[in-house]
Amino acid sequence: MTTRAITSAARSTARRGALTAGALLAVGSLAVLTGCSGGGAEPAATADPDEEVTLNFAWWGDASRAERYEAAIDLFEEQNPNITIQTSFAGFGDYWTARNTEAASRTLPDVFQMDLAYLAEYGGFGHVLPLDEYLGDTIATDGIETSLVEAGAVDDQIFGLASSSSTLATLFNGPLLEELGVEVPEGQLTWDEYDDFLAEVSAAGASGDPVVYGSLDYTQYFWLFQIWLGQQGLSFIDDGELGFEQKDLVDWWSRSATIHESGGAMPAERQAQFEGVDALGAAEIASDISWANFLPRFSEGPAAPELSLAMPPYDDEDNTGMFLKPGLMLSIGTNSEHPAQAAAFIDFLVNDPEVGAIFGMSRGVPASATAAEGIEASGLDEQILAYQESVADKLDGQAPPAVQGLGTLEQTFVAISQDVAYGAATPAEAAERWFAEAENALK
């Protein structure tokens, strides 16, 4: 996993700063972010190598990602003894609640993970610094695909730099399926074929202890919905507005009822009981659709499942809807007092080959060719890389542009889809609610 020993839990705890918990809900991010804009520290062209500096760094993720970041930070501090990195991390939802609260009070971390869904809100309202003057100088970009650099743009300025890229994949637990007497699907599946497969798995796993289900309710996955839209010849965002109609969302969420009625999806009540553990990693589901780079995360779950990767379902081989998503962007808070050192830290996390060796493919395929040079692909890393290469010529879709409100659209999509899964709202009712939220968010 890494060229050096992972730091101990004690050292990680000692380094890790407290993560501020805010009462503000993440879905209210747009209102918070419009509260202040501009101003803050002026970017410095160079950093004083002798100045004693402390940088705050925050990310979302699990314990496995935390261990890798801590190991990388140890290397950075060895090479830069005058810089100390204080860290914090949380799950995705709590992470953005905290960042939104910090944005309102202008106390954002010096460096923090950024997602494409939130880039326009933070960049457009002046909460993160443009990286342009550091790119090509403090932050090397010659080994990064231009499209991945440009993915961090808002109004012609770069506000976040991708450290990786990834695509969605269908994961299958082969040994578990064999145990249940169900064959791993061969060849590409249509959506209906995948739903039938999930029902077959659940029927075979109903008498187990624990009970095994086909999958989670995949209609809750925001980015998978965008791939499905691409398969219908639609786009999520078109010229700053929604590129699909309410009936399209009804069609998508209607699939939820299908897989719950057949028993193919784990019941929402059972899914809610999982905390800090993935159902796939616990072998309580035999399949899921997720980012290919999550393979190590699932494989390191309590059941240590042996997983394979395949393309998500599609009904027309000429319309896969698949796209390359820039992953784990890094941004600098406008309030940072040490932006040049923060830029140097970003360069290290994105480009250093030893960091590449530490993370392997767990962040996705490294955005930087220099970082990729440090990876001796084997096992899970090799599996991810092989999958990415196999789908490279099938990516006929496009990631949505970074528009203001995209993060709110994601949060409300996930929240409202829960009501569909629990049967508290029909697909039509849920779609109507989401479209009302979406109109406000995009304004």
Side-chain angles (χ1 to χ4, degrees), residues 339 351 404:
N351 288 302
Q404 291 178 8

Side-chain angles (χ1 to χ4, degrees), residues 63-373:
S64 175
R65 180 173 295 172
E67 289 179 345
R68 289 175 168 89
Y69 266 131
E70 293 289 349
I73 290 168
D74 280 349
L75 287 176
F76 181 78
E77 290 180 338
E78 287 174 10
Q79 297 174 18
N80 301 272
N82 62 309
I83 302 179
T84 300
I85 308 295
Q86 293 185 344
T87 66
S88 63
F89 72 98
F92 191 81
D94 291 340
Y95 174 87
W96 285 110
T97 298
R99 300 293 83 77
N100 294 339
T101 302
E102 292 164 350
S105 60
R106 302 188 62 74
T107 57
L108 283 165
D110 297 274
V111 179
F112 61 103
Q113 267 185 191
M114 174 59 66
D115 188 79
L116 182 65
Y118 295 87
L119 185 66
E121 295 181 19
Y122 278 76
F125 291 115
H127 292 289
V128 291
L129 290 175
L131 301 177
D132 301 77
E133 73 172 88
Y134 298 112
L135 298 179
D137 186 10
T138 304
I139 303 175
T141 57
D142 52 347
I144 304 175
E145 282 189 28
T146 302
S147 62
L148 288 178
V149 176
E150 293 177 346
V154 177
D155 296 332
D156 299 323
Q157 289 184 298
I158 306 298
F159 288 99
L161 183 63
S163 60
S164 62
S165 63
S166 189
T167 55
L168 284 169
T170 307
L171 298 98
F172 296 104
N173 185 335
L176 178 59
L177 288 170
E178 183 178 358
E179 185 179 315
L180 296 174
V182 179
E183 294 185 3
V184 176
E186 293 185 7
Q188 183 61 40
L189 295 180
T190 65
W191 286 103
D192 287 346
E193 288 171 344
Y194 185 58
D195 290 352
D196 291 342
F197 163 78
L198 298 183
E200 181 184 1
V201 173
S202 291
S207 60
D209 185 18
V211 173
V212 177
Y213 298 94
S215 180
L216 300 181
D217 184 345
Y218 60 74
T219 67
Q220 301 172 21
Y221 301 156
F222 179 72
W223 294 97
L224 183 59
F225 171 60
Q226 296 182 54
I227 284 180
W228 181 84
L229 284 175
Q231 295 174 2
Q232 317 309 310
L234 304 169
S235 59
F236 187 76
I237 297 291
D238 184 11
D239 195 23
E241 298 181 352
L242 294 177
F244 61 100
E245 297 179 3
Q246 195 166 311
K247 65 179 181 61
D248 299 310
L249 184 53
V250 172
D251 289 345
W252 173 252
W253 273 336
S254 292
R255 303 197 73 88
S256 176
T258 299
I259 55 178
H260 280 289
E261 288 171 3
S262 71
M266 174 180 280
E269 294 82 1
R270 176 55 183 151
Q271 182 180 342
Q273 294 173 357
F274 281 87
E275 186 172 346
V277 178
D278 296 295
L280 187 63
E284 290 200 28
I285 59 174
S287 179
D288 200 4
I289 300 176
S290 189
W291 299 108
N293 62 289
F294 283 8
L295 181 64
R297 164 179 162 178
F298 296 134
S299 300
E300 293 168 3
E306 295 180 23
L307 304 169
S308 60
L309 301 172
M311 286 187 68
Y314 57 77
D315 296 326
D316 180 356
E317 63 181 9
D318 293 326
N319 291 288
T320 70
M322 293 274 286
F323 54 80
L324 195 65
K325 181 179 182 290
L328 302 185
M329 291 179 165
L330 296 168
S331 295
I332 300 174
T334 304
N335 51 277
S336 175
E337 296 179 359
H338 308 287
Q341 290 90 340
F345 182 51
I346 288 178
D347 175 72
F348 175 81
L349 291 178
V350 172
N351 288 302
D352 191 276
E354 289 191 85
V355 174
I358 288 171
F359 279 92
M361 297 291 175
S362 67
R363 294 186 294 184
V365 175
S368 166
T370 307
E373 290 173 359

Side-chain angles (χ1 to χ4, degrees), residues 295 299 307-309 378-388:
L295 181 64
S299 300
L307 304 169
S308 60
L309 301 172
S378 61
L380 299 178
D381 289 345
E382 196 169 56
Q383 194 176 345
I384 296 169
L385 185 59
Y387 173 73
Q388 294 275 97

